[in-house]
Amino acid sequence: NAGVTQTPKFRILKIGQSMTLQCAQDMNHNYMYWYRQDPGMGLKLIYYSVGAGITDKGEVPNGYNVSRSTTEDFPLRLELAAPSQTSVYFCASSYRGDTQYFGPGTRLTVL
Amino acid sequence: GQSLEQPSEVTAVEGAIVQINCTYQTSGFYGLSWYQQHDGGAPTFLSYNALDGLEETGRFSSFLSRSDSYGYLLLQELQMKDSASYFCAVRSSGGYQKVTFGTGTKLQVIP
């Protein structure tokens, strides 16, 4: 099993550009999450999903959108990138939420 | 809402025992989880307490006291490779069961 995969690993965006961060899991988990982690800080929840077609906002959803059309995939869309969105983005999946499996992360810089 | 507080930094000597505390304010949750994150890496799951008391997994133990709104992670026989950040997390028992992470503790193990 590949676990949780994320693409791309690194990306540099210009202010105002948009992009989609991809996340996929092969563990048949219903719960999936997107976090951002700024340098030296903790994990902040952006969006999460408890199953295909069901998503909800976390702590810091502004500037992001998600969709969950399948159990496996949970892409995160950044619209109109801003320097404040420079961060490391982690996707995670879980059977119920208590034990989360994280992807390797996407390191995003907005210039 | 949920908030979880941890000491920002802890230093301990190789071979010793260290305790990392997590105090929380929450309206209701299923259990307390612990994650480890090395610099530049993704968080990995360590331990979970659904009930009050001590859970032991090798050199790592975790404790929960709901009456005291408090938990801790205990690391024994510290090794240099245990130098990392440690996060506690809870899954809310309301709504879509959102997960909230603590502020994180950076552990430095010294020779």
Side-chain angles (χ1 to χ4, degrees), chain A residues 98, chain B residues 1-4 24-32 48 50 64 66 69 89-100:
Chain A
D98 302 307
Chain B
Q2 327 274 18
S3 70
L4 299 92
Y24 58 84
Q25 291 184 342
T26 174
S27 53
F29 68 103
Y30 285 107
L32 187 70
Y48 174 65
L64 174 63
R66 291 174 186 265
S69 297
V90 295
R91 176 168 64 105
S92 168
S93 57
Y96 283 155
Q97 302 170 14
K98 182 163 55 178
V99 174
T100 304

Side-chain angles (χ1 to χ4, degrees), chain B residues 34-45:
Chain B
W34 287 92
Y35 293 82
Q36 178 190 60
Q37 184 181 29
H38 287 100
D39 284 347
T44 56
F45 172 79

Side-chain angles (χ1 to χ4, degrees), chain A residues 30-33 47-56 67-68 74:
Chain A
N30 282 325
Y31 289 59
M32 294 188 75
Y33 305 84
Y47 272 97
Y48 65 109
S49 170
V50 298
I54 306 170
T55 63
D56 200 6
S67 59
R68 183 97 181 269
F74 190 39

Side-chain angles (χ1 to χ4, degrees), chain A residues 54-97:
Chain A
I54 306 170
T55 63
D56 200 6
K57 296 178 180 178
E59 273 182 273
V60 290
N62 291 344
Y64 308 95
N65 275 302
V66 293
S67 59
R68 183 97 181 269
S69 56
T70 67
T71 298
E72 294 78 20
D73 300 298
F74 190 39
L76 178 72
R77 178 84 177 160
L78 276 73
E79 305 282 0
L80 299 175
S84 61
Q85 292 178 305
T86 293
S87 192
V88 180
Y89 291 84
F90 289 105
C91 177
S93 76
S94 177
Y95 173 60
R96 291 185 308 183

Side-chain angles (χ1 to χ4, degrees), chain B residues 48-71:
Chain B
Y48 174 65
N49 291 74
L51 303 173
D52 283 9
L54 194 67
E55 290 285 339
E56 297 180 79
T57 310
R59 294 189 298 114
F60 295 77
S61 303
S62 57
F63 173 82
L64 174 63
S65 169
R66 291 174 186 265
S67 60
D68 295 321
S69 297
Y70 164 73

Side-chain angles (χ1 to χ4, degrees), chain B residues 74-87:
Chain B
L74 194 72
L75 294 80
Q76 302 182 72
E77 300 172 13
L78 278 173
Q79 302 176 9
M80 299 300 291
K81 68 178 181 179
D82 296 329
S83 292
S85 292
Y86 294 83
F87 296 91

